[in-house]
Amino acid sequence: MKNLDLLSKHIPLAVETIRDVIKHGEDNHRLFSWVGLGVAGNMAHFSKHMELHARGDTTEDHLAHASCRLLMAIELRERGK
């Protein structure tokens, strides 16, 4: 795995927020359940969170959740799934 210092250097608050969302997901969902959704499923969740964010919904941090879903989709794409 490549060193993540570059991310922490440039976007430390975003990295911490993403970490918090992923930790919350691990505490409340089956571990790695997002993998089974594939790229398309994670992109659907990304789109839903972006829509809610754009509407001003504040029930959760939709921008952070959308970011996680986008990163998950990229991860799966890079894994070749």
Side-chain angles (χ1 to χ4, degrees), residues 22-63:
I22 291 173
K23 176 66 173 125
H24 181 264
E26 280 194 345
D27 291 344
N28 293 285
H29 300 283
R30 187 176 48 83
L31 194 60
F32 296 107
S33 60
W34 58 272
V35 174
L37 297 174
V39 172
N42 280 287
M43 289 306 296
H45 283 275
F46 164 82
S47 295
K48 184 64 175 176
H49 281 295
M50 289 305 296
E51 178 183 326
L52 290 167
H53 173 74
R55 288 184 186 174
D57 184 288
T58 59
T59 57
E60 61 185 354
D61 185 348
H62 292 294
L63 191 58

